[in-house]
Amino acid sequence: MRLDKLLSHSGFGSRKEVKQLLKKKLVTLNGHQVKDGKINVSETTDQISVDGQPVSYQAYFYYLLHKPKGVISATEDTSHRTVVDLLSKEDYRPDIFPVGRLDKDTTGLLLLTNDGDFSHNLLSPKKHVSKCYAATINGIVTAADCQNFAEGATISGGDICQPALLEVLSVNQEKQTSDIKVTITEGKYHQVKRMFESVGKQVTELHRETMGRLTLDPSLAPGQYRELTEAELMLLGLERAN
Ligand code: URA
């Protein structure tokens, strides 16, 4: 990788700002001063310092976000805030993207990363990574609905879903609403909402609690995020490469 790119990706500012650091003779490569940002360096074996401080290069970033309502799961949008806009200036990088999507009005666990393989592995239908959602439903959810989901609901467009576990937590007869948990292993477009539509009911609140063995950190308020820990990455079947 080019030295200026590595420095820029390591938090030393834009390429222009990095150029200034090089010009001011603040950068050393294996103990020797360098002024040319175009040279290729190795992220693993070369020793790079800025103003005497060793640079530690991190290639991949993994964030656990509590997605709030009203932001969209995209990297950019002309009229709405995106989940990437929730990152601080220090954590923002142009290559970070959300792992899959939650609808604008859905809250809960969303991962952000710049690791394409990691995202692909979590989203691949072949991997059957489970996702558990808590929801409020307009209507009384019945044992027949649970059976229907367990057998594989047929949703709008004729798609047949993989078997899903539907659990009724409580019902409010007066309001005619139900609080439920549903665990699915796919990520079809608006899947949970369409599954309930297929049994004549409407999702009014939807919140993702888990993805695989990872649970949303309860100390994160909506809109807050933090880096995934090594232990959490291992829960998702990934050991950090950097
Ligand atoms: N299913 C939905 O309908 N919406 C989401 O945001 C996630 C799953």
Side-chain angles (χ1 to χ4, degrees), residues 20-71:
Q20 287 304 312
L21 293 174
L22 289 155
K23 207 171 157 191
K24 287 185 192 157
K25 302 182 184 168
L26 290 173
V27 182
T28 60
L29 173 62
N30 301 323
H32 302 287
Q33 211 173 71
V34 270
K35 284 172 78 180
D36 182 5
K38 291 199 279 299
I39 57 170
N40 276 313
V41 293
S42 158
E43 307 90 275
T44 47
T45 55
D46 281 325
Q47 304 283 319
I48 299 154
S49 295
V50 176
D51 206 9
Q53 298 301 311
V55 173
S56 68
Y57 176 73
Q58 189 178 336
Y60 296 117
F61 295 82
Y62 307 92
Y63 295 112
L64 171 64
L65 168 72
H66 183 164
K67 181 193 170 295
K69 282 190 181 189
V71 295

Side-chain angles (χ1 to χ4, degrees), residues 155-189:
I155 57 176
S156 55
D159 275 350
I160 299 173
C161 297
Q162 292 289 324
L165 176 67
L166 174 57
E167 299 161 275
V168 182
L169 304 179
S170 63
V171 295
N172 186 323
Q173 292 291 350
E174 203 184 327
K175 290 189 190 157
Q176 289 288 293
T177 59
S178 313
D179 286 328
I180 62 94
K181 276 196 186 190
V182 62
T183 306
I184 60 175
T185 55
E186 318 157 90
K188 295 187 197 301
Y189 186 60

Side-chain angles (χ1 to χ4, degrees), residues 5-135:
K5 186 173 173 190
L6 183 144
L7 290 173
S8 184
H9 282 185
S10 303
F12 289 95
S14 62
R15 293 274 179 103
K16 207 170 156 192
E17 286 163 324
V18 166
K19 209 171 173 180
Q20 287 304 312
L21 293 174
L22 289 155
K23 207 171 157 191
K24 287 185 192 157
K25 302 182 184 168
L26 290 173
V27 182
T28 60
L29 173 62
N30 301 323
H32 302 287
Q33 211 173 71
V34 270
K35 284 172 78 180
D36 182 5
K38 291 199 279 299
I39 57 170
N40 276 313
V41 293
S42 158
E43 307 90 275
T44 47
T45 55
D46 281 325
Q47 304 283 319
I48 299 154
S49 295
V50 176
D51 206 9
Q53 298 301 311
V55 173
S56 68
Y57 176 73
Q58 189 178 336
Y60 296 117
F61 295 82
Y62 307 92
Y63 295 112
L64 171 64
L65 168 72
H66 183 164
K67 181 193 170 295
K69 282 190 181 189
V71 295
I72 61 166
S73 301
T75 51
E76 51 185 22
D77 191 82
T78 46
S79 48
H80 295 100
R81 274 186 101 198
T82 73
V83 287
V84 171
D85 294 332
L86 296 170
L87 294 176
S88 69
K89 198 167 159 252
E90 291 73 38
D91 294 328
Y92 173 80
R93 295 166 46 102
D95 56 354
I96 293 204
F97 59 89
V99 177
R101 288 172 190 214
L102 290 178
D103 296 337
K104 190 175 164 199
D105 58 352
T106 301
T107 58
L109 189 164
L110 186 67
L111 298 173
L112 305 178
T113 188
N114 61 341
D115 183 343
D117 289 343
F118 170 77
S119 172
H120 178 78
N121 277 331
L122 279 178
L123 299 178
S124 165
K126 288 188 203 134
K127 305 272 169 160
H128 302 290
V129 174
S130 64
K131 286 141 238 166
C132 178
Y133 295 85

Side-chain angles (χ1 to χ4, degrees), residues 102-103 106 133 190-193 206:
L102 290 178
D103 296 337
T106 301
Y133 295 85
H190 294 325
Q191 181 161 341
V192 174
K193 291 175 185 165
L206 188 59

